[in-house]
Structure formats: C-alpha cells, structure tokens
Amino acid sequence: MNRIKFYTISLAVFFVFCLFAKPASAGPKMSETFAYYYYKEGRITEAINEYKEIIKSGGAGVEAQKALGYIYSEEGQIDEAIEEYKKVLEKDKKDPSIYEQLGHLYYKKICLLYTSDAADELDGVDLGGRRI
C-alpha cells in the first residue's frame, strides 16, 4: 500500500514539474510557446522578455518580432511597436500585413499627438497626467 501511494505522489510531482518547468535548453518554438502563454496570461513583461530572447538567439525568424510588435502595439507602446515592425521589414519587404500594421500605428500616433495638442490648448481637459 505504501508503494502505491509513493508512486502516485511521485507521478503527480513529475506531472506538475512538467507543466510548470521551463527547460533550460528550450528551442525557439518552445520559447515562442512560453512567450505566447505569458502574453495570454497577462504576464506582459515576461512575454516581452521571452520574445526578446528568441529574437536575440536568431532562431525564430520574423514571427517573434511580429509578435513583439503586436504586444507593444496592444500595450500602447507605439514607438516600440513601429521599431519592431521596421526590423521585420528589413528581413521581409514583401509581407503586406507589416505595411498595414505600420499604417495603423502611424495613424494612431498622429491621432494621439493631435488629441494631446488639442487638449493642451483647452483648460480643464484631463489626460491622466500623461503627455503623449
């Protein structure tokens, strides 16, 4: 009876370890999976760091850079998103989705600058203390 209990507990510990442990030698695809998981769980800083590591290792092509640009865009970090998409264009000039994303980002940037300048001219408009 004690052996069965021991093996059951050992097996449960092993499965928990497999679910939550990140291998030290995770390849680019495995790291992308972790980065995507971090993003979906709202762990944005970890997702950004994971994508940066993937890009630095050079193993994932432009997909990791696209994902990083997307996260920056969603988080309102427009300048960082633009920089990442520009890096993607250096590697792949024929991807129309990158031009579309850049167009949206530049439009968003212009709108934010316009509304920020208009708000500065009016008294009593609160932008949350941020200068965009």
Side-chain angles (χ1 to χ4, degrees):
M1 185 72 154
N2 285 339
R3 282 186 177 176
I4 293 174
K5 191 180 245 183
F6 172 77
Y7 288 126
T8 305
I9 291 171
S10 298
L11 190 59
V13 168
F14 175 74
F15 281 124
V16 168
F17 177 77
C18 289
L19 286 174
F20 296 106
K22 178 181 171 191
S25 63
K29 288 294 179 196
M30 182 81 133
S31 294
E32 278 189 76
T33 303
F34 280 109
Y36 180 75
Y37 169 77
Y38 291 147
Y39 174 71
K40 284 300 193 184
E41 288 295 310
R43 297 161 62 181
I44 304 302
T45 304
E46 291 170 290
I48 288 172
N49 290 338
E50 194 69 35
Y51 278 121
K52 284 182 177 179
E53 283 183 36
I54 296 167
I55 293 165
K56 192 187 323 181
S57 72
V62 297
E63 293 305 316
Q65 242 161 350
K66 285 181 187 179
L68 185 56
Y70 176 79
I71 291 173
Y72 281 141
S73 174
E74 289 295 305
E75 292 300 307
Q77 300 176 20
I78 296 173
D79 292 330
E80 291 84 353
I82 289 172
E83 288 305 312
E84 289 304 320
Y85 283 123
K86 282 181 177 180
K87 290 175 188 175
V88 172
L89 276 181
E90 290 174 5
K91 298 174 185 175
D92 184 9
K93 294 183 186 310
K94 294 183 179 183
D95 187 350
S97 68
I98 302 306
Y99 292 102
E100 180 181 6
Q101 289 297 325
L102 279 170
H104 286 295
L105 287 167
Y106 282 122
Y107 177 75
K108 194 184 245 185
K109 186 174 181 175
I110 289 169
C111 288
L112 288 172
L113 289 172
Y114 177 75
T115 56
S116 176
D117 289 342
D120 286 344
E121 293 175 7
L122 299 173
D123 293 328
V125 176
D126 183 274
L127 289 177
R130 277 191 310 166
R131 172 90 178 133
I132 300 172

